[in-house]
Amino acid sequence: MMTIEVQTTVTDFALAAERAVEAGLDAIENRVRFLLEVVDAVWSMTRGGRRPAARSRA
């Protein structure tokens, strides 16, 4: 991805989270679930021996 594509994707996810909250979903629970599923998918595709990790800036 190019830098602008990353920024656009981040914005898209933020807007999707906002819509999910407006629809009554638990934003924190869904964000954590999403993150864990992405990490598991990346790890299963790379099988690099070290599990990827994420860090929150919150």
Side-chain angles (χ1 to χ4, degrees), residues 28-47:
I28 300 300
E29 178 183 330
N30 287 323
R31 267 193 275 179
V32 170
R33 180 178 172 195
F34 174 76
L35 175 61
L36 293 176
E37 288 185 20
V38 168
V39 169
D40 284 344
V42 169
W43 186 66
S44 69
M45 294 298 287
T46 59
R47 301 197 195 283

Side-chain angles (χ1 to χ4, degrees), residues 5-58:
E5 293 170 320
V6 172
Q7 293 169 345
T8 301
T9 302
V10 169
T11 300
D12 290 344
F13 276 106
L15 292 172
E18 181 180 47
R19 291 183 193 116
V21 171
E22 290 172 357
L25 298 176
D26 181 339
I28 300 300
E29 178 183 330
N30 287 323
R31 267 193 275 179
V32 170
R33 180 178 172 195
F34 174 76
L35 175 61
L36 293 176
E37 288 185 20
V38 168
V39 169
D40 284 344
V42 169
W43 186 66
S44 69
M45 294 298 287
T46 59
R47 301 197 195 283
R50 291 177 46 185
R51 190 173 195 110
R55 183 175 58 195
S56 173
R57 291 186 286 173

